Amino acid sequence: MIKRRRNNLFISVFALCFVLLTGCGAGRDTTATSETDLESESMPDEDDIVIGISQVGSESDWRTTNTKAYIETFTQEKGYYLIFEDGQQKQENQVKALRKFILKGVDYIVLDPIVETGWDAVLKEAQDAGIPVIIADRNVSVEDESLYTCHVGSDFMQEGRNAGEWLAAYLESRGRGKKEINLVTLQGTLGSTAQIGRTSGFAEVMEKHANWNMLEYQSGDFTQAKAYEVMEYFLETYDDIDVVICENDNMAFGAIEAIKEAGLKLGKNGDIMILSFDAVRDALLLVQKGEIMADFECNPIIAPLVEETIQKLERGEPVEKVQHIDETYFDYRMDIETLLESREY
Ligand code: AHR
């Protein structure tokens, strides 16, 4: 067992426990936090592995599940002591959290970064302090990749490609393979790996289809409320949108609301088709109804893979620099009801 680097400054640690009061769902805005921060009096035991997690925020159903999985995985019963910091969708808060973790001398830092750039300096500080940093979910783009131990999360570029390939095959099957198709994209937080990957993966496929016409890209910041506003604008500006690409499910919820309010019909025989990413439970129910045509999974249960990585590091074993989590997709032709019986999220 590795000797713990417990720091003298670790006198009164606040374990930020999240009580997940409610699930987030379609028709509800999840921009505002649905969580309560509690200060815990507990202290790490001598042998506890102390982990500082800097989370993006609570912008989506996906994020709620992702956070819950961290809290359920890194329990004190299992020998972990978790310090959880919610970045509230601001990089500056995440940088502050990392500095706090460094000061406390945690054993590991897990960073779910909001955007890819701007991490070099603080990651260097963690490296100088000898603290391994695991980048989880989205990735970072830094000059020196030795500044972090590994990235554990989704292959967002592949998710984008999957969506493009699905659309191409679907249009072909409906005899629309060569017809003019107008699209708009509701992008996620600009500069985040989830946005960059999904936008560029889809664009890669789009290049092979000269008849696909991307009318406009606009960011909905991964939230339902912002996406609703952007979708209203799209509908006022363009009168012939065939496909809306929503770079996450909460934005699909907002888009659907705006489309329905405009009196338009969704689905294969409707006016507009929606493709989405994440595949959270409430979105899959909309896939079942045919309101979302297909949903490209982004698996939020990353915590077990992060734990496996930490355990390997504890044993002094090497870890893979890039660890992608398994993902699939679901469309309106599949048996969603049976799938949901065994799905965790
Ligand atoms: O980084 C993962 C993305 O972030 C998910 O698609 C989205 O729902 C979340 O906000």
Side-chain angles (χ1 to χ4, degrees):
M1 172 66 75
I2 283 175
K3 182 157 178 354
R4 301 271 154 248
R5 178 193 310 105
R6 206 69 11 100
N7 188 320
N8 287 340
L9 285 161
F10 210 115
I11 341 163
S12 64
V13 108
F14 290 135
L16 191 59
C17 300
F18 266 33
V19 176
L20 299 161
L21 292 174
T22 55
C24 308
R28 264 179 305 114
D29 182 12
T30 58
T31 313
T33 183
S34 60
E35 293 138 358
T36 304
D37 300 350
L38 294 179
E39 284 178 5
S40 159
E41 293 299 319
S42 72
M43 289 284 289
D45 293 337
E46 187 59 29
D47 288 334
D48 279 351
I49 299 173
V50 179
I51 304 173
I53 296 189
S54 169
Q55 178 60 289
V56 170
S58 52
E59 74 284 2
S60 63
D61 290 28
W62 186 99
R63 189 67 56 198
T64 306
T65 307
N66 178 253
T67 295
K68 189 164 170 269
Y70 281 129
I71 289 161
E72 287 172 0
T73 301
F74 295 112
T75 61
Q76 221 166 348
E77 294 73 55
K78 283 164 75 183
Y80 299 106
Y81 188 86
L82 184 63
I83 310 172
F84 188 96
E85 289 282 339
D86 180 345
Q88 299 183 352
Q89 293 260 71
K90 290 199 176 77
Q91 184 175 31
E92 70 217 59
N93 291 344
Q94 292 203 281
V95 170
K96 260 190 227 153
L98 259 57
R99 295 211 160 108
K100 179 172 153 185
F101 298 153
I102 295 167
L103 206 64
K104 287 184 185 298
V106 300
D107 298 307
Y108 296 92
I109 290 175
V110 178
L111 169 65
D112 278 36
I114 178 159
V115 288
E116 289 194 345
T117 54
W119 300 103
D120 300 69
V122 72
L123 290 182
K124 180 80 176 70
E125 290 165 35
Q127 188 178 59
D128 290 346
I131 303 174
V133 179
I134 296 168
I135 309 294
D137 167 26
R138 304 173 188 176
N139 206 351
V140 294
S141 165
V142 284
E143 284 270 297
D144 172 5
E145 293 200 340
S146 78
L147 291 179
Y148 63 92
T149 306
C150 59
H151 171 238
V152 180
S154 302
D155 184 345
F156 295 105
M157 181 96 178
Q158 190 55 45
E159 291 176 4
R161 282 190 205 110
N162 291 347
E165 301 291 1
W166 185 93
L167 183 62
Y170 175 78
L171 292 172
E172 194 61 46
S173 76
R174 302 279 292 180
R176 295 176 71 186
K178 298 276 175 294
K179 301 247 165 73
E180 197 77 3
I181 302 293
N182 290 329
L183 303 96
V184 288
T185 298
L186 275 160
Q187 294 177 294
T189 302
L190 297 179
S192 67
T193 316
Q195 176 272 310
I196 296 169
R198 288 167 186 167
T199 300
S200 42
F202 190 86
E204 208 180 271
V205 180
M206 206 164 59
E207 271 175 29
K208 294 186 236 158
H209 300 275
N211 56 320
W212 294 11
N213 178 24
M214 185 60 75
L215 300 169
E216 194 167 337
Y217 294 97
Q218 280 263 356
S219 174
D221 217 11
F222 286 126
T223 70
Q224 181 172 336
K226 186 79 193 297
Y228 172 83
E229 280 170 25
V230 177
M231 192 66 227
E232 273 191 321
Y233 155 79
F234 281 156
L235 292 168
E236 279 159 17
T237 313
Y238 306 103
D239 56 14
D240 191 16
I241 299 170
D242 298 300
V243 181
V244 183
I245 309 297
C246 300
E247 288 185 353
N248 86 341
D249 283 339
N250 286 80
M251 293 197 294
F253 302 153
I256 288 171
E257 221 179 312
I259 292 167
K260 284 185 176 170
E261 278 178 23
L264 296 169
K265 298 256 169 301
L266 289 157
K268 67 172 179 159
N269 298 319
D271 307 294
I272 296 184
M273 295 190 288
I274 294 204
L275 303 193
S276 187
F277 293 87
D278 283 355
V280 298
R281 182 166 285 271
D282 284 331
L284 287 175
L285 293 170
L286 298 177
V287 173
Q288 195 178 24
K289 284 167 79 180
E291 294 189 358
I292 293 176
M293 297 289 285
D295 207 329
F296 300 87
E297 188 182 41
C298 180
N299 189 340
I301 319 279
I302 301 171
L305 204 50
V306 173
E307 182 184 28
E308 203 180 296
T309 303
I310 288 174
Q311 286 302 328
K312 278 190 186 159
L313 294 169
E314 285 287 297
R315 295 191 295 270
E317 293 172 14
V319 297
E320 293 282 329
K321 189 81 183 179
V322 180
Q323 302 177 40
H324 283 152
I325 197 154
D326 287 343
E327 291 174 338
T328 182
Y329 77 92
F330 307 97
D331 73 27
Y332 73 97
R333 296 167 291 204
M334 296 176 177
D335 180 1
I336 305 291
E337 200 174 330
T338 309
L339 166 89
L340 285 176
E341 282 168 16
S342 57
R343 195 167 167 83
E344 276 181 70
Y345 53 96

